[in-house]
Structure formats: C-alpha cells, structure tokens
C-alpha cells in the first residue's frame, strides 16, 4: 500500500511539474490538509458522543440485555465456543457494528480476538472462530450507518440520512454472504478433522 500511495504522489508531482500546475497542486495540498483536519475534529465529536452513549448503555445494563438477545446468533456463528468472556466481547462488537458505531466496535473486537487467540491451537494462523469474527465484523450489518451520515453531513449533503436504506440493504446482503461463507468453511473444516 505504501508503494501505491508513494507512486501516486510522485506521479502527481511529476505531472504537475511537467504541465506547469505546481501552484494548483500546492493549493490543493493545503486545502486537502485543512479539510482533513476539519473532518477529524468533526468526527472526534461524533465518536465522543457515540462512545459515551455506548459506555452509558453498558452502565445501565443495555449491553447485557443486547448480549442475551444475540446469544442465539453467537451460538449459531460460533458453535464450539464455550468462553463467556469472549462471547460478551463478541456481543458488544456485534451490537456496536449493528448500531453503526464501528469505532466503538474496535476495542471489543480486539479483546475478543485476544481471547480467541488463547484458545487457538495454531498460534501462527487464525482459528476458524477468529476468521468468522473477522468476516462478521467486516460485513457488519448496520441499522444506522452513523459514520456515513456524519461524513455526508460534514460535506454538505442535503439529506445525510438518505443513505440509511441503501446501507441497510447492502450490509444485510454482505452479512448474509459472510455468514453463508463462514458456515460452509466450518463444514469443510469439520470434514477435514
């Protein structure tokens, strides 16, 4: 990835130098830097708000209730998992993703992976459970795509929440595809054992 980005930057600079557009390139670099900083500040507020809401939800026991709702899903996706602590981290990760809070999902996802690694017999390769968590985390069914709504709002969209239904449809399809793939791979893996 570093080579790709480096190559694009070098090609852009060379092209600007050859075509006499170095002034335009310099201005765009500064404008883009300013936009990046503004976006980071804007998103820091959104992240702070929703991370705080997740913490409050945890304090009042909402996440525990949500975990109980997700138990059948977790049991279906991770049939061999017995560790309750890992299940709790997975439930928080899934709940955060469903609510569109990807940044709030990351810490619980990392904790779940760390717990899964303890039970992994092959330390240099990911276990089936680790792969399943990763696929589910990446496909990530989202009821409310908070990130995209925030980005669209920051960049002046007339209707930032217009993305909700298309995002719900896309993430439903991607999650179903991910689940089917994981179940097929689990079946293949069981046959090999």
């Amino acid at each position: 990835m570093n080579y790709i980005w480096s190559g694009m930057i070098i090609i852009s600079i060379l092209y600007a130098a050859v075509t006499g557009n170095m002034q335009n390139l310099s201005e765009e670099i500064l404008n883009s830097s300013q936009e990046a900083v503004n976006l980071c500040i804007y998103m820091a507020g959104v992240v702070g708000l929703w991370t705080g809401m997740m913490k409050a939800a945890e304090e009042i026991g909402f996440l525990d209730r949500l975990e109980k709702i997700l138990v059948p899903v977790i049991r279906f996706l991770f049939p061999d998992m017995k560790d309750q602590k890992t299940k709790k981290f997975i439930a928080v990760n899934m709940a955060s993703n469903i609510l569109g809070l990807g940044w709030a999902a990351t810490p619980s996802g990392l904790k779940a992976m760390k717990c899964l690694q303890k039970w992994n017999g092959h330390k240099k390769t990911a276990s089936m459970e680790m792969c399943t968590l990763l696929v589910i985390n990446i496909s990530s069914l989202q009821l409310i795509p908070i990130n995209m709504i925030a980005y669209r709002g920051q960049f002046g969209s007339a209707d930032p929440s217009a993305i909700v239904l298309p995002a719900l449809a896309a993430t439903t399809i991607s999650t179903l595809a991910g689940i089917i793939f994981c179940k097929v791979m689990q079946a293949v893996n069981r046959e090999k054992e």
Side-chain angles (χ1 to χ4, degrees), residues 80-178:
D80 299 328
M81 186 186 314
K82 306 288 185 243
D83 184 42
Q84 285 303 115
K85 184 178 175 184
T86 307
K87 286 182 182 179
K88 184 172 188 97
F89 289 136
I90 291 172
V92 171
N93 178 268
M94 290 174 72
S96 299
N97 278 323
I98 289 169
L99 297 173
L101 308 172
W103 53 80
T106 301
S108 56
L110 291 173
K111 289 176 184 174
M113 281 292 189
K114 193 173 186 179
C115 289
L116 290 171
Q117 181 63 12
K118 287 180 192 174
W119 303 105
N120 186 6
H122 309 283
K123 299 298 180 188
K124 297 207 179 214
T125 58
S127 66
M128 185 56 64
E129 289 82 9
M130 293 169 86
C131 292
T132 300
L133 177 60
L134 188 60
V135 167
I136 297 303
N137 196 18
I138 290 169
S139 64
S140 181
L141 172 67
Q142 289 189 10
L143 298 178
I144 308 166
I146 300 295
N147 278 350
M148 291 310 299
I149 292 171
Y151 290 138
R152 288 170 53 88
Q154 171 68 19
F155 290 109
S157 172
D159 186 9
S161 62
I163 193 79
V164 172
L165 288 178
L168 180 60
T171 59
T172 299
I173 291 167
S174 68
T175 301
L176 287 174

Side-chain angles (χ1 to χ4, degrees), residues 5-114:
W5 283 109
S6 299
M8 289 186 344
I9 291 169
I10 291 169
I11 290 169
S12 298
I13 292 170
L14 292 174
Y15 182 78
V18 169
T19 60
N21 289 320
M22 285 302 284
Q23 178 68 28
N24 291 341
L25 179 66
S26 298
E27 288 174 9
E28 285 305 313
I29 288 171
L30 292 175
N31 289 339
S32 296
S33 298
Q34 182 180 4
E35 280 185 29
V37 169
N38 289 339
L39 181 62
C40 287
I41 291 169
Y42 181 80
M43 290 307 293
V46 173
V47 169
L49 170 71
W50 287 102
T51 303
M53 299 259 307
M54 285 299 286
K55 187 67 176 164
E58 183 179 6
E59 294 292 324
I60 64 170
F62 177 73
L63 292 181
D64 289 334
R65 281 186 240 135
L66 196 55
E67 178 189 355
K68 288 178 184 165
I69 292 169
L70 290 173
V71 163
V73 175
I74 293 170
R75 193 175 301 132
F76 173 73
L77 292 172
F78 304 94
D80 299 328
M81 186 186 314
K82 306 288 185 243
D83 184 42
Q84 285 303 115
K85 184 178 175 184
T86 307
K87 286 182 182 179
K88 184 172 188 97
F89 289 136
I90 291 172
V92 171
N93 178 268
M94 290 174 72
S96 299
N97 278 323
I98 289 169
L99 297 173
L101 308 172
W103 53 80
T106 301
S108 56
L110 291 173
K111 289 176 184 174
M113 281 292 189
K114 193 173 186 179

